[in-house]
């Protein structure tokens, strides 16, 4: 391994060949600088504030830190402060702590707090050089690893992966609403990532240090849901032995996520509406009004507009909740994201399983691309998690994924029926991919628009 590494022009990354030496003893600083200047671009600092200033402007990948710094060089607290501040700015920094011969307990404490290694005085230059080389080596490996992960993952945003324009639009919407306190309604098919969107909004918002409290309105019986949401006083109903805060109150200062909002009963719809209008609640059986400061995000995988038309969902509540609507597209409509997500999940589950699975067969990739993913990303996750455990070979096949590899005619079909079944599958998928737009679907299938129209007539497929 070479002693020197090429300088890195990227300002976002720590410079791999910069070294910061922090020591209160000027003689040691000069000595180290001269010994190491051939191998690294060396910066020196004699106290905490200079050290942090240099660290901030130069972002060295590695630093040596003498724990005894002024104003009390006999004490180590200034050194520990410096260590903590540096690691807070960049946890990947490799800090090598330098201590006196009989200060092992300080050295171990420093390593416990995130220092990379320690070194005892008197400093032996050749030994220190070895430690430094290892630190730079590790730093470079970690950085390569991060970059690889990022490349596998494509664009990632708050734990959400996806490079398709469809999901990028969602990311942009999240960034935008995160700066406001407006209620958000996320809509989308089951497993498409609605809760992840809600969490991302919370983490991007000024409320990120507050709680994120989720409640599934569809999973809790109505009678319980009311006290879950609003809380109750002691003796409010049979069994209410103690006073309890509801989820709304628990979310104080943070974000409340109301999942499956379409399942809310008419009574609770009214109560929720009142809370949204007044930002106040009363616990069940309570008389005192409690002022509430929470951001509300709701989710639904049912068509609330239709529920509204049928009188099952209040219009006023709908408009209160859906000040901003973020609709999460189904996976099958995110061009290119399926294989990107599949590969990222494969490497994750494969590592977790200590497995030797290295990828997908071409057939598996095709099957992944053509499957319609009714369960969206959760379904993809489940199929890959299972396949990684069950697979025999080193690459996942359509069988491992329990996908049919595109099309599997059952034995009972004659040739005409089999052809029609295949045509129907392909036409339906093309229509789905292109949201019913005939011209694009025809282009996808490599046929003209009139031919597609004829096929649809013959197969009895209606234009969506
Ligand atoms: N863009 C994404 N990148 C990576 N993982 C994702 C992405 N979107 C969703 N997931 C994962 O898919 C799973 C389902 O996501 P989530 O629970 O947010 O979906 P949902 O829309 O709330 O589903 P449901 O309607 O069933 O409640 C989760 O494990 C989540 O981490
Ligand atoms: Mg959900």
């Amino acid at each position: 391994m070479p002693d020197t590494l090429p300088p890195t022009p990227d300002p976002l990354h720590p410079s791999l060949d910069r070294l910061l030496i922090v020591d209160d003893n000027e003689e040691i600083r000069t000595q180290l600088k001269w010994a190491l200047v051939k191998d690294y671009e060396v910066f020196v600092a004699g106290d905490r504030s200079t050290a942090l200033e240099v660290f901030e402007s130069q972002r060295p990948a590695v630093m040596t830190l003498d724990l005894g710094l002024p104003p009390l060089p006999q004490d180590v607290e200034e050194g520990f402060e410096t260590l903590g501040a540096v690691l807070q700015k960049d946890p990947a920094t490799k800090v090598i702590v330098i201590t006196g011969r009989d200060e092992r307990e300080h050295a171990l404490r420093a390593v416990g707090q995130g220092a990379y290694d320690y070194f005892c005085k008197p400093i032996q230059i050749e030994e220190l050089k070895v430690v430094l080389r290892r630190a730079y080596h590790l730093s470079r490996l970690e950085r390569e690893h991060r970059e690889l992960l990022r490349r596998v993952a494509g664009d990632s945003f708050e734990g959400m992966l996806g490079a398709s324009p469809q999901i990028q639009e969602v990311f942009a919407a999240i960034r935008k609403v995160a700066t406001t306190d407006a209620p958000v309604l996320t809509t989308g098919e089951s497993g498409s990532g609605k809760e992840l969107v809600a969490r991302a909004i919370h983490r991007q918002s000024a409320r990120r240090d507050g709680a994120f409290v989720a409640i599934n309105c569809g999973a809790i019986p109505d009678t319980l849901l009311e006290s879950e949401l609003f809380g109750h006083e002691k003796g409010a109903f049979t069994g209410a032995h103690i006073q309890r805060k509801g989820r709304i109150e628990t979310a104080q200062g943070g974000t409340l996520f109301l999942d499956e909002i379409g399942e809310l009963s008419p009574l609770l719809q009214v109560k929720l509406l009142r809370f949204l209008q007044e930002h106040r609640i009363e616990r069940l059986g309570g008389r005192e009004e409690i002022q509430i400061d929470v951001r509300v995000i709701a989710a639904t995988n049912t068509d609330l507009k239709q529920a509204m038309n049928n009188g099952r969902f209040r219009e006023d509540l709908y408009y209160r909740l859906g000040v901003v609507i973020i609709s999460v597209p189904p996976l099958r409509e995110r061009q290119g994201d399926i294989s990107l997500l599949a590969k990222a999940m494969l490497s994750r589950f494969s590592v977790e399983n200590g497995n030797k699975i290295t990828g997908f067969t071409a057939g598996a990739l095709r099957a992944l691309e053509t499957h319609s993913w009714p369960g969206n990303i959760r379904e993809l996750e489940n199929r890959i998690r299972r396949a990684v455990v069950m697979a025999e070979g080193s690459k996942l096949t359509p069988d491992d994924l329990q996908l049919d590899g595109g099309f599997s005619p059952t034995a009972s079909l004659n040739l005409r029926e089999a052809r029609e079944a295949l045509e129907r599958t392909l036409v339906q998928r093309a229509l789905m991919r292109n949201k019913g737009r005939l011209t694009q679907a025809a282009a996808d299938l490599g046929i003209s628009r009139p031919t597609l129209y004829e096929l649809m007539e013959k197969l009895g497929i209606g234009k969506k």
Side-chain angles (χ1 to χ4, degrees), residues 421-433 441 445 447 452 455-456 459 461:
L422 176 58
E423 283 175 344
R424 181 172 295 111
T425 307
L426 293 179
V427 168
Q428 278 169 337
R429 281 177 186 162
L431 287 169
M432 206 144 59
R433 268 198 309 276
L445 291 164
I447 57 179
L452 174 60
L455 256 178
M456 289 169 63
L459 301 167
I461 299 173

Side-chain angles (χ1 to χ4, degrees), residues 138-375:
L138 180 64
S139 183
R140 188 178 50 187
L141 285 181
E142 284 180 353
R143 184 173 141 192
E144 280 170 7
H145 180 68
R146 274 196 302 275
E147 268 163 21
L148 271 177
L149 283 182
R150 197 164 42 223
R151 214 172 305 154
V152 174
D155 278 321
S156 139
F157 175 69
E158 291 288 351
M160 303 182 76
L161 308 180
S164 65
Q166 289 86 342
I167 201 70
Q168 293 289 329
E169 240 173 69
V170 171
F171 295 168
I174 293 172
R175 285 199 188 89
K176 210 158 163 188
V177 299
T179 61
T180 75
D181 242 353
V184 177
L185 178 64
T186 65
T187 66
E189 291 180 8
S190 147
S192 59
K194 297 182 294 295
E195 179 158 352
L196 222 50
V197 167
R199 289 181 185 276
I201 294 172
H202 172 70
R203 276 200 303 263
Q204 291 274 311
S205 76
R207 297 175 175 272
R208 69 180 68 88
D209 294 327
F212 178 91
V213 177
I215 183 163
N216 187 330
C217 306
I220 302 171
D222 211 51
T223 42
L224 291 182
L225 186 56
E226 183 171 4
S227 83
E228 270 301 314
L229 278 172
F230 294 92
H232 60 74
E233 294 294 341
K234 184 176 171 180
F237 48 83
T238 331
H241 300 304
I242 49 165
Q243 179 215 65
R244 253 193 81 189
K245 283 187 184 176
R247 302 281 179 101
I248 295 177
E249 233 182 303
T250 318
Q252 190 73 275
T255 305
L256 178 70
F257 177 57
L258 300 168
D259 208 354
E260 295 192 38
I261 192 75
E263 303 296 314
L264 217 56
S265 71
L267 172 75
L268 283 181
Q269 289 181 30
V270 175
K271 292 200 81 173
L272 184 64
L273 179 65
R274 194 175 319 137
F275 153 61
L276 289 172
Q277 286 166 337
E278 297 171 4
H279 305 283
R280 271 194 306 247
I281 58 160
E282 267 170 44
R283 297 189 193 120
L284 267 70
R287 273 183 226 110
E288 170 206 5
E289 293 225 303
I290 303 159
Q291 193 72 31
I292 299 286
D293 167 37
V294 304
R295 201 249 182 95
V296 174
I297 304 178
T300 179
N301 55 21
T302 56
D303 188 353
L304 278 190
K305 280 231 171 85
Q306 198 180 335
M308 219 158 65
N309 292 338
N310 298 338
R312 281 184 291 110
F313 202 84
R314 294 182 68 101
E315 202 171 327
D316 41 12
L317 180 58
Y318 177 83
Y319 289 111
R320 274 278 166 183
L321 289 170
V323 173
V324 180
I325 295 179
I326 296 183
S327 63
V328 188
L331 181 57
R332 64 181 160 279
E333 285 175 12
R334 301 184 206 173
Q335 286 272 317
D337 280 358
I338 297 172
S339 64
L340 184 150
L341 279 160
K343 283 171 188 162
M345 287 170 183
L346 176 69
S347 56
R348 190 172 97 217
F349 296 139
S350 195
V351 167
E352 281 174 13
N353 277 272
N355 219 316
K356 282 150 207 73
I357 305 232
T358 55
F360 299 91
T361 64
L365 283 176
R366 230 176 7 253
L368 287 169
E369 289 289 347
T370 49
H371 184 60
S372 65
W373 300 108

Side-chain angles (χ1 to χ4, degrees), residues 90-105:
D90 184 354
T93 314
K94 302 288 164 268
V95 182
I96 298 157
V97 165
I98 309 229
T99 65
R101 191 177 274 300
D102 29 60
E103 293 177 347
R104 262 178 72 88
E105 78 276 20

